[in-house]
Amino acid sequence: MTRRTVPLIIGFLAGTIVLGKYFLPQNAFLDSLGTDVVNWRTIVAAFALGLGAVNLLGTHTMRIARKEKGWDASIVLLASLVTFTAIGLFKGTTSPVYQWGFNYLYQPIYSGISSLLAFMITSASYRSFRFKDWQSGVLMLGAVIVMLGQVGVGQLLFRSLPAVSSWIMAVPNTAGMRGIAIGGALGAIALSLRVILGLERGYLGGGQ
């Protein structure tokens, strides 16, 4: 009962309260209770973040102790985690030491990893644009028009190419993105209702 019924009851009550806060006529008590539930979610998320950090420490400590593959990288990870956490707690995130680490360690590493996305996008584009059927042909044609429309050589080849490129981005692309967003929102609503009603129990774990 503790592992199944209680979480289902909590999920049902929390979801119903928050839905009532936004969709039922204004009620001071319901508004206050719904706000409290949302704040509790933030607190639970903070504890979950702490639990994740503890799990990270345990996992990589065992990897170092066993000298598994990549254990040297685990040392760097744990040293960075402990050092920056200690500096942030005792010196503050605005301290010169913390800012130096953020600006001259984290930012360059993050920029270097992000720069690899260019090569990943190039590889993915090559696989996607191979002419296998008419769908991939339409995708390739649209991509070529948009790319050429964004550079000067495209206007030299065809004077109206930038206008066509802008139309593709403004009309078909926007329509597709909005359709995906609406579909994602409907899926989120359906999943939320399943969780509230207890039909979706994947979050309970253990194959419940």
Side-chain angles (χ1 to χ4, degrees), residues 150-202:
Q150 304 299 318
V151 294
V153 66
Q155 188 171 6
L156 293 177
L157 294 175
F158 300 100
R159 185 180 300 273
S160 60
L161 197 59
V164 177
S165 174
S166 299
W167 179 84
I168 291 176
M169 293 296 296
V171 181
N173 178 69
T174 302
M177 292 297 295
R178 288 178 179 175
I180 294 173
I182 293 172
L186 293 176
I189 293 172
L191 180 60
S192 301
L193 290 176
R194 287 180 58 86
V195 172
I196 292 173
L197 297 176
L199 301 176
E200 176 59 50
R201 303 184 180 186

Side-chain angles (χ1 to χ4, degrees), residues 26 88 136-137 143 191:
Q26 290 188 354
S136 60
L191 180 60

Side-chain angles (χ1 to χ4, degrees), residues 34 84 86 102 127-128 149 176 191 199:
F84 277 92
F102 184 84
R127 292 194 299 268
S128 299
L191 180 60
L199 301 176

